[in-house]
Amino acid sequence: MKKIVYISDYALDEYNSVRDILYNIITLNNLQKYEHVVVKSTGNMHKPISKKIYDGFTVYSNTKLKTSDYIKAKNISLGCKISYIFHRIIKRISVINKNSRYKKYDNEAFLKRIIKEEKPQLIIFLTYSPKRTYVKMCQKYKTPYIFMLYDTYIERPGIDRAQAYETEKYVIDNSERYFIPSFFYEQYAKTYSGMKIAHYNLPLLINKSDVEKAFKEYNEQYNFTYFGQIQSFRKEGEIKRILRNLNIQLDVFSTENYKDDDVFKIHAAKTGHELYKKVAGSKYLVAFDNGYPYQNYLPSKVYLYTSFTKPVIAFGDNKESALIEFFKNYPMFYYQNINESTDGLVEFLKKEKTDRFAEDCYALFSEYLPEQALQTLTDSIKTVLNKQIEPIDNHI
């Protein structure tokens, strides 16, 4: 069985939309004939690396063992322990020597270990930034790779554009395909030439059967809910002021350790079916629009929200909001400009709402279902794996 290794910024058991993209890929029916191995990209050689089975998939990630516990562990070989101590020493030296290439070496050594142990026929990178070191390691062991951005790189705020261009072009030129979210494609088409750049719709629309199951099984009800982080660039102070004036309490489900107050009631983040039940049990779903310098970014929770066809209220002051564009055909959407009167919002809240799943509304966003959103990716994967690739063992 041919094997695909995924280098991802988030593990399968983390509460994150990037994890959801990854999970949607590895569970696609038309990719089940391949073996899938997931590796968290923050792995490195100066931290113990664990290998386990999660939901039927092989997963690598850093262990949380202390150094003393790692040395004492009986299920870890003496060779691994010696290697670990050696790299810990190098790490300490690199802290003193600011010009040390340890970090670069660390990335190379980590990927080298994964390639040697798993011998994949293809690597898919799902990471925040492209890395030359990863490309060079793939080249060294003649392992083809596909790169997937879940964000823009060349247009990222605060980045050195010239250096970013050179790095990204290098990664693109040596890849099989380079995928970016559809809403960044136009800029990439202008910036880079060639046929290797492709785009995909973020595949986060929840399957209808899972949505319907959540509607049947939810046992808690909420009036207004928000799922995500409360960053400063999302103007949470202004949003809180509006909610307080309207006497609205917002139930917030987040991985961050916020504190309750008179407006925000904090809950631990949920994932999978437990998350779906919370959404199904909500009367209104709330979104915080992105402000500068992320004003053109679309919050990933919109796919979750549209899956359940609930009324959505967005708060922001973004005149070129990607949220407004995304929801332009959504029948129950209201955008509250945080600098304007709330009279329109008050009228929106008075309108009669249905608590049932609206199949016609759901159908408007079918292009974001994994099978459709990832079709170009699955075609590319099959093309690469159907090539006559020289056995990886010959290169290690």
Side-chain angles (χ1 to χ4, degrees), residues 218 290 392:
Y218 75 83
N290 292 320
I392 195 70

Side-chain angles (χ1 to χ4, degrees), residues 184-372:
F184 295 128
Y185 179 72
E186 184 177 349
Q187 180 62 43
Y188 270 74
K190 293 178 182 178
T191 305
Y192 303 102
S193 59
M195 300 297 293
K196 290 188 176 182
I197 295 177
H199 59 92
Y200 69 103
N201 289 328
L202 289 175
L204 297 178
L205 198 66
I206 312 303
N207 285 320
K208 187 169 67 173
S209 60
D210 294 327
V211 172
E212 292 174 335
K213 181 180 179 183
F215 268 98
K216 292 178 181 178
E217 296 182 1
Y218 75 83
N219 51 18
E220 292 181 89
Q221 290 185 295
Y222 305 91
N223 285 324
F224 299 86
T225 53
Y226 173 77
F227 299 85
Q229 315 312 324
I230 311 177
Q231 291 99 328
S232 59
F233 61 81
R234 288 177 171 162
K235 312 291 181 68
E236 55 100 0
E238 289 87 341
I239 296 171
K240 185 178 290 188
R241 173 183 54 80
I242 293 173
L243 294 176
R244 183 180 290 113
N245 289 340
L246 295 176
N247 197 28
I248 291 175
Q249 184 177 64
L250 184 65
D251 286 282
V252 177
F253 292 84
S254 177
T255 57
E256 299 298 323
N257 189 26
Y258 304 117
K259 292 183 178 180
D260 286 349
D261 57 32
D262 61 319
V263 178
F264 293 163
K265 184 178 181 181
I266 309 301
H267 308 268
K270 304 294 180 183
T271 190
H273 188 58
E274 289 303 310
L275 168 62
Y276 302 161
K277 288 195 295 183
K278 300 299 182 186
V279 178
S282 303
K283 187 174 182 179
Y284 295 95
L285 302 173
V286 174
F288 295 177
D289 201 1
N290 292 320
Y292 181 84
Y294 302 101
Q295 65 272 22
N296 296 320
Y297 286 47
L298 183 68
S300 58
K301 66 183 62 61
V302 300
Y303 305 97
L304 172 69
Y305 287 7
T306 54
S307 299
F308 287 81
T309 68
K310 292 292 185 96
V312 176
I313 302 171
F315 293 90
D317 60 355
N318 191 349
K319 294 181 179 179
E320 298 180 355
S321 171
L323 264 173
I324 295 176
E325 176 64 22
F326 182 84
F327 281 108
K328 63 183 178 182
N329 296 319
Y330 194 80
M332 293 299 294
F333 173 74
Y334 188 84
Y335 190 93
Q336 174 61 53
N337 189 302
I338 58 176
N339 302 312
E340 297 179 0
S341 168
T342 59
D343 291 348
L345 175 57
V346 172
E347 290 301 314
F348 178 78
L349 295 175
K350 290 179 180 178
K351 292 180 180 179
E352 186 176 351
K353 313 292 190 308
T354 176
D355 192 42
R356 291 174 293 180
F357 174 66
E359 191 160 349
D360 56 341
C361 179
Y362 181 87
L364 294 173
F365 298 88
S366 60
E367 64 189 291
Y368 298 103
L369 282 168
E371 294 80 3
Q372 297 184 42

Side-chain angles (χ1 to χ4, degrees), residues 128-139:
Y128 185 59
S129 302
K131 287 185 173 68
R132 282 176 175 264
T133 51
Y134 281 171
V135 173
K136 291 180 179 180
M137 192 55 59
C138 288
Q139 290 174 321

Side-chain angles (χ1 to χ4, degrees), residues 64-77:
K64 296 181 180 179
L65 288 176
K66 296 180 180 179
T67 299
S68 57
D69 294 332
Y70 184 77
I71 299 302
K72 295 176 182 177
K74 295 181 180 180
N75 61 336
I76 298 174
S77 70

